[in-house]
């Protein structure tokens, strides 16, 4: 049995056109605007069904590796069940593309954006990612959000066992650790550019009250994006 969705025009979701059709079993979002906004709109639908990020900006077109990562994390931490990464020239292989590129699609398989997607998977696959609930009311990540493509997003597991926040750029964020089950909370920075973890000074923290966190520097690729991983501990 195959699940079915539909690829419609940009700034739409499949359910906008085909929501009444019995064959539509998976919804999606297709946007070049900040992905979290489009994703949260689908997450809030009364006729909610699983959805994924179908398309956004492609690496080597209008996205660099940091933008590609931001789109992925914006989707997965805003209710999406998955996301699709796009790259030029992978999407058209050896055929003519809309944008000139100096590399072959085979070389692009090892691009910085492509490598980043493996680290996205590693982070989420190691945890019960399907239990994540977007922090729509900003009760977990309470300050330091910003806006647009720079917006920080967060989601917490329904059993309060862990939470993940993604910061597209370096800034100080405030987290209500009381949103985690605790009684303690292990805190790590996850480098989305190389998949490494770094324990945050002071960890583990008590699962109560507000705590501020700030990356010490740019990540290993010299971009400012980081993932904050908080996990309940005894």
């Amino acid at each position: 049995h195959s699940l079915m969705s539909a690829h419609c025009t940009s700034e739409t979701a499949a359910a906008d056109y085909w929501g009444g059709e019995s064959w539509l079993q998976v919804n999606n979002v297709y946007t070049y605007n900040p992905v979290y906004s489009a994703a949260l709109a689908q997450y809030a639908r009364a006729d909610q069904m699983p959805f994924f990020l179908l398309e956004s900006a492609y690496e080597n077109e209008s996205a660099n590796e940091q933008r590609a990562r931001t789109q992925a994390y914006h989707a997965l931490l805003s209710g999406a069940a998955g996301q699709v990464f796009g790259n030029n020239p992978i999407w058209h292989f050896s055929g003519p593309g809309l944008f000139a590129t100096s590399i072959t699609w085979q070389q692009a398989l090892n691009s910085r954006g492509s490598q980043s997607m493996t680290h996205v998977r590693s982070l989420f696959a190691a945890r019960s990612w399907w239990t994540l609930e977007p922090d729509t009311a900003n009760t977990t990540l309470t300050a330091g959000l910003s806006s647009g493509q720079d917006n920080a997003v967060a989601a917490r597991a329904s059993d309060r066992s862990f939470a993940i926040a993604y910061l597209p750029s370096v800034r100080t964020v405030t987290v209500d650790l009381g949103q985690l089950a605790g009684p303690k909370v292990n805190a790590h920075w996850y480098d989305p550019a190389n998949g490494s973890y770094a324990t945050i000074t002071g960890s583990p923290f008590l699962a109560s009250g507000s705590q501020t966190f700030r990356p010490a520097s740019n990540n290993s690729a010299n971009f400012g994006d980081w993932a904050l991983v908080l996990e309940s501990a005894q």
Side-chain angles (χ1 to χ4, degrees):
H1 180 70
S2 299
L3 295 175
M4 295 188 68
S5 191
H7 192 306
C8 302
T9 191
S10 61
E11 311 314 322
T12 66
D16 294 340
Y17 289 96
W18 309 106
E21 298 293 332
S22 60
W23 55 262
L24 183 68
Q25 298 152 309
V26 182
N27 191 15
N28 58 57
V29 293
Y30 174 10
T31 182
Y32 297 111
N33 294 318
V35 168
Y36 74 92
S37 182
L40 289 176
Q42 297 313 305
Y43 184 75
R45 290 181 74 109
D47 58 341
Q48 186 185 76
M49 67 173 64
F51 70 92
F52 65 101
L53 174 61
L54 175 69
E55 184 171 346
S56 196
Y58 283 25
E59 185 185 25
N60 296 330
E61 291 187 352
S62 51
N64 59 15
E65 63 174 278
Q66 187 268 351
R67 171 74 179 269
R69 289 192 293 266
T70 296
Q71 293 169 170
Y73 286 91
H74 271 182
L76 295 172
L77 295 175
S78 299
Q83 64 91 32
V84 175
F85 161 74
N87 170 280
N88 174 35
I90 294 175
W91 76 265
H92 55 79
F93 294 104
S94 298
L98 299 176
F99 297 84
T101 179
S102 61
I103 60 174
T104 66
W105 68 263
Q106 292 95 334
Q107 291 171 319
L109 292 173
N110 196 40
S111 71
R112 291 294 310 165
S114 296
Q115 292 179 42
S116 293
M117 295 306 106
T118 69
H119 305 315
V120 172
R121 185 189 186 282
S122 294
L123 175 64
F124 286 89
R127 296 165 177 82
S128 301
W129 59 267
W130 56 90
T131 69
L132 286 170
E133 298 174 341
D135 187 29
T136 55
N138 302 325
T139 54
T140 300
L141 187 64
T142 61
L145 277 73
S146 191
S147 61
Q149 296 290 355
D150 194 45
N151 193 59
V153 292
R156 189 197 68 184
S158 56
D159 65 357
R160 299 167 60 202
S161 61
F162 73 99
I164 299 173
Y166 175 77
L167 289 56
S169 61
V170 172
R171 87 282 302 269
T172 299
V173 294
T174 304
V175 175
D176 179 4
L177 294 180
Q179 295 293 314
L180 280 297
K184 294 182 179 179
V185 176
N186 287 327
H188 293 85
W189 288 116
Y190 181 76
D191 185 339
N194 70 5
S196 65
Y197 290 90
T199 301
I200 294 175
T201 302
S203 178
F205 300 91
L206 292 176
S208 63
S210 293
Q211 178 67 44
T212 59
F213 299 95
R214 182 183 179 87
S217 63
N218 284 349
N219 61 38
S220 60
N222 202 31
F223 288 92
D225 57 322
W226 291 90
L228 175 62
V229 182
L230 303 170
E231 297 175 292
S232 292
Q234 296 298 314

